[in-house]
Amino acid sequence: MSRNDAAPGTVTAPSGRIRRLLSLLYVQCLIGVLAGAAVGWLGPSFGADLKPLGDGFIALVRMMIAPVIFCTVVHGIASMGNARAVGRVSLKALLYFEVLTTVAMVIGLVVVNMIKPGSGLHVDPSALSTEGLPPEATQSHESVAAFTLSNIPDTLLSALTGHEILPVLLVSVLFGFGLNAAGEAGTGITQGIEKLSKVLFTLIRWIMRLAPIGAFGSMAFTIGNYGLDTLRHLFLLVGSFWLTALFFVLVVLGTVMRINGLRLLPFLRYIKEELLIVLGTSSSEPVLPRMMAKLQHVGASKPVVGITLPAGYSFNLDGTAIYLTMGSVFLAQALGIDLSLTQQLSMLAVMLLTSKGAAGVTGSGFIALAATLSAVPHVPVAALALIFGIDRFMSEARALTSVIGNGVATLAVAKWEGQLDEDRAKAVLRGEIPYTPSPEANHAPEPRVAPAPGEEPAKADPEESAEADRHPVPAAG
């Protein structure tokens, strides 16, 4: 008897299409997010107790981030074979980060001054207290010199055991240049690091199977601990922040993609799994290894991805940039403090510094806002108590915006360096070359790189040429 002829009342097996749909990671994450929200709403105390599920998943991924960045950056620099090219990529990336971060802050400043979400609250500053705020928000913040020195690790290995990205980048860049300068002696180590990176990406693939559980636990905790009622009081701030972040992504980042011959919406579809993981965990850290693999698969060269994307996690937090301007001016409005244009611009200049180095973890934007308020005398740090309860509802938008911004930045820098295979990128974004999370997929064929003026063109590897002939890239239509 066929499935269609099954007797009434019998339970038939789900169709093959449903099974395939449920096997997709982004569908599993979406189910986890929705289920977590429902559990947190229906059983707040039980939902709040599920926080270890999300924290455990993030901890597992964070455990892998330092070695993944180290292997990717070291192999990228060592295989590039030209210190001047590495410096050029880094300079272009930092220039792009600074421009886009400033644009994001200016947009946030304009929106918060137009909508004025804090006007009319009339909060008495004397009634505010720092009690209940995280210790990191009330401690004294280091100077620029101290911040710079803190990113130099005590030993070569201690950078790989910490939680900061900048020390890992510093050690990786130095080690990559060292392998370059070592010549024949560094070749074997470079090959060993490439093989180690394949093992690490295999482990990441296994860990990512737990993403739906992590998203479920994190969302259940958020709704259960803070509740949806919190949003009612400050809905205007949360809503305007989400809409501003959406405007930045669609208009500003969409324009950057258009300038570089690509389209934003296909790119968002391409990274939909990563976006759902970020939405569920309120953190951009868990998707860093997968974003590196996917950007290589889309046609960006490994050296550019290895340098630009990890650096963006510290220097290109577009979502945090919007949050800093909107949050600080909102607090001033709520306290009845009238900030002049000069004062707002001076705060913006401080934010360009305090936003750097903030890790892509939950709450980092809140700590960066505390650092900003402690550096300028206009708004008391105690005012942070007004938005502490709703910060979690804005952290998702911060993380989503920053992940998309760093992906777009990597493609833009790769295009400007001539290290983006545009035909492959368009084919991948059209779905003609699907991404498969396997170690081999994480090492897509390198695009043909145009040498800079005065540089020797790279010699083609016969084995790579033969491999490319066996697996031709479809031409873009």
Side-chain angles (χ1 to χ4, degrees):
M1 183 170 59
S2 68
R3 182 182 300 173
N4 295 332
D5 297 331
T10 60
V11 179
T12 60
S15 66
R17 183 178 180 182
I18 294 178
R19 284 199 299 270
R20 285 195 301 271
L21 198 62
L22 292 176
S23 68
L24 298 174
L25 181 62
Y26 77 90
V27 174
Q28 296 171 6
C29 288
L30 181 59
I31 293 173
V33 168
L34 295 177
V39 168
W41 180 51
L42 296 174
S45 59
F46 177 69
D49 291 338
L50 294 177
K51 187 174 185 288
L53 293 178
D55 291 346
F57 170 70
I58 293 175
L60 281 173
V61 178
R62 189 182 297 169
M63 172 183 72
M64 306 297 300
I65 285 179
V68 165
I69 291 177
F70 178 79
C71 290
T72 306
V73 174
V74 169
H75 182 265
I77 293 176
S79 60
M80 188 174 277
N82 190 316
R84 194 173 7 159
V86 175
R88 194 172 62 240
V89 170
S90 303
L91 184 61
K92 288 180 179 179
L94 291 176
L95 180 62
Y96 174 94
F97 295 160
E98 206 61 37
V99 171
L100 265 289
T101 300
T102 305
V103 170
M105 288 184 175
V106 170
I107 290 175
L109 206 59
V110 171
V111 170
V112 76
N113 278 285
M114 289 177 58
I115 298 179
K116 300 184 184 299
S119 296
L121 292 180
H122 305 298
V123 177
D124 183 6
S126 62
L128 297 173
S129 171
T130 57
E131 186 177 352
L133 294 177
E136 298 88 350
T138 55
Q139 68 185 11
S140 59
H141 297 278
E142 55 192 0
S143 63
V144 176
F147 169 74
T148 303
L149 291 175
S150 67
N151 288 306
I152 302 176
D154 294 331
T155 66
L156 190 70
L157 296 179
S158 63
L160 303 180
T161 59
H163 297 299
E164 300 295 329
I165 291 178
L166 289 180
V168 180
L169 273 176
L170 175 63
V171 168
S172 303
V173 169
L174 291 175
F175 201 82
F177 282 132
L179 290 181
N180 246 331
E184 189 81 24
T187 303
I189 299 177
T190 302
Q191 293 172 350
I193 287 176
E194 183 182 18
K195 293 176 181 177
L196 176 60
S197 69
K198 293 184 178 182
V199 175
L200 293 175
F201 274 108
T202 299
L203 297 178
I204 287 290
R205 193 173 77 252
W206 293 349
I207 292 173
M208 292 310 294
R209 293 175 182 172
L210 301 175
I213 299 175
F216 168 77
S218 293
M219 188 57 67
F221 164 76
T222 299
I223 303 299
N225 191 60
Y226 299 108
L228 294 175
D229 288 338
T230 315
L231 290 173
R232 283 190 202 144
H233 304 292
L234 299 168
F235 175 78
L236 191 56
L237 173 61
V238 176
S240 59
F241 175 69
W242 272 85
L243 289 176
T244 304
L246 183 63
F247 173 84
F248 178 82
V249 169
L250 295 180
V251 177
V252 178
L253 297 183
T255 301
V256 173
M257 289 288 281
R258 281 285 187 182
I259 291 173
N260 291 285
L262 301 173
R263 293 191 297 133
L264 179 67
L265 293 182
F267 178 67
L268 296 182
R269 285 196 298 269
Y270 176 62
I271 61 171
K272 58 183 179 291
E273 293 179 354
E274 289 70 32
L275 297 182
L276 279 171
I277 293 170
V278 171
L279 178 66
T281 60
S282 298
S283 172
S284 57
E285 266 196 334
V287 300
L288 174 57
R290 280 179 62 95
M291 285 293 291
M292 296 176 79
K294 279 199 165 183
L295 289 169
Q296 291 176 46
H297 178 75
V298 86
S301 71
K302 189 173 184 178
V304 171
V305 172
I307 294 171
T308 307
L309 190 64
Y313 266 61
S314 290
F315 293 101
N316 189 45
L317 300 175
D318 296 327
T320 300
I322 297 171
Y323 170 80
L324 290 177
T325 49
M326 295 192 70
S328 57
V329 176
F330 166 83
L331 294 177
Q333 293 170 351
L335 297 176
I337 301 173
D338 186 18
L339 295 177
S340 66
L341 179 61
T342 302
Q343 289 173 321
Q344 292 188 33
L345 292 178
S346 67
M347 291 179 69
L348 189 147
V350 172
M351 291 169 194
L352 287 173
L353 296 176
T354 55
S355 64
K356 308 306 181 191
V361 297
T362 304
S364 61
F366 187 79
I367 304 305
L369 180 58
T372 301
L373 297 184
S374 65
V376 293
H378 313 311
V379 182
V381 176
L384 288 170
L386 295 174
I387 61 172
F388 180 59
I390 62 165
D391 178 74
R392 182 81 183 202
F393 293 100
M394 293 188 283
S395 65
E396 289 96 345
R398 290 199 302 262
L400 286 169
T401 305
S402 297
V403 164
I404 298 169
N406 284 320
V408 171
T410 304
L411 294 179
V413 173
K415 172 66 182 297
W416 300 340
E417 270 294 291
Q419 298 197 37
L420 176 67
D421 190 329
E422 285 191 68
D423 290 342
R424 179 182 178 86
K426 292 175 180 177
V428 169
L429 297 184
R430 286 198 303 267
E432 296 174 7
I433 309 178
Y435 171 81
T436 53
S438 63
E440 289 76 15
N442 295 329
H443 299 272
E446 292 288 327
R448 296 292 176 256
V449 179
E455 294 180 3
E456 290 292 327
K459 294 182 179 180
D461 188 332
E463 293 185 6
E464 288 186 2
S465 300
E467 184 70 17
D469 291 338
R470 288 194 295 270
H471 302 284
V473 176

